[in-house]
Amino acid sequence: ASINQISSRIFPAFERSFSAAASPSEPIRATLFPGDGIGPEIAESVKHVFNAAQVPIEWEEHFVGDKVDPRTESFLTWESLESVRRNGVGLKGPMATPIGKGHRSLNLTLRKELGLYANVRPCYSLPGYKTRYDDVNLVTIRENTEGEYSGLEHQVVRGVVESLKIITRQASLRVAEYAFHYAKANGRQRVSAIHKANIMRKTDGLFLKCCREVAEKYPEITYEEVIIDNCCMMLVKNPSLFDVLVMPNLYGDIISDLCAGLIGGLGLTPSCNIGEGGIALAEAVHGSAPDIAGKNLSNPTALLLSSVMMLRHLKLTDKADQIHNAILNTISEGKYRTVDLGGNSSTTDFTKAVCDHL
Ligand code: NAD
């Protein structure tokens, strides 16, 4: 099969739900946060490819500031948030968070302020790039606003700390509804709710209850529940058992990195945050990769594929297909691959090769 055929088979995610193509008469404005670490390098790669493919996008670029904005209580300025609200779409690079101290995660602030309630993380085997599996084709849908990420932590007494896991019926129903809607719109057959309700009986119990409620409205989709530890084992043993997975925040964060490992690593996996009022903010699954930042070594594929998700959301289907196929063809051909994929190409050489494949 040609890459074109393979690509439409393995990448139904984010396609059919927005299938009608758009041809805007004026450029569409989209917000761009280059982010930290490798963020500016891979954002540069996206800009380069978009220019070469003549994508009708005008970037509104916002840098993460170096001073706390009192209105957001973080390094993220109010103007940056307003830009995403106004444009409705954007692409963000990774944002670093200090470990165990310092400011609150900018990623959390963004998700909270923009009501980005679902994070969609497609993960599929890339044609021509061999890993232990050649049939991975799944989508993790992560609840994005609560769970252990509520930011409610405090010291009870010296030597004892408490962290609150919040699960609400409203957020659980919303993400479950999104997962089933997504499965139906993208021709997927199964939704698995991933949980630990045998131990977290109240919180994950409520999450499951909401998933079951929504599942009843979608009799054409097979619904199952899998305990997270078993899910990890099944994913590593036979990832083709899964189709769409929906889960609370922390589990989604961890499981999607596990999934990235199945297909070749974090350099390859894209995502898109879906928010209230139809906001879409695409971003790679990976972080700022400080170990390779500034060395022209990073793989821009994950952010490029995220930008493809953004284009599909905007119904710029032709441009999305063109860029998507150019990325797959470049990797499949094997001449230009970044170091994380066993090659020796720099970020800029790989980007150039993608442009040559457009
Ligand atoms: P990471 O994802 O940045 O890196 C993990 C490993 O994967 C590293 O070895 C890195 O070199 C490699 N890697 C990641 N992306 C790559 C790419 N595009 N090309 C080649 N190799 C790549 O995770 P980490 O090191 O645990 O976190 C670093 C920082 O990123 C932390 O401050 C963390 O809070 C932040 N982070 C941000 C986000 C986000 O913005 N959404 C997500 C995860 C982590």
Side-chain angles (χ1 to χ4, degrees), residues 146-161:
E146 54 182 29
E148 288 87 347
Y149 290 63
S150 311
L152 298 170
E153 281 194 323
H154 58 267
Q155 179 170 305
V156 182
V157 289
R158 227 166 100 93
V160 181
V161 289

Side-chain angles (χ1 to χ4, degrees), residues 128 183 212 216 242 262:
R212 276 175 214 154
E216 279 183 18
F242 290 99
L262 303 174

Side-chain angles (χ1 to χ4, degrees), residues 310-328:
M310 187 192 89
L311 293 180
R312 293 198 193 288
H313 176 80
L314 289 168
K315 300 180 186 166
L316 294 174
T317 312
D318 293 350
K319 296 295 176 194
D321 286 343
Q322 190 189 359
I323 295 173
H324 186 230
N325 290 334
I327 299 165
L328 293 194

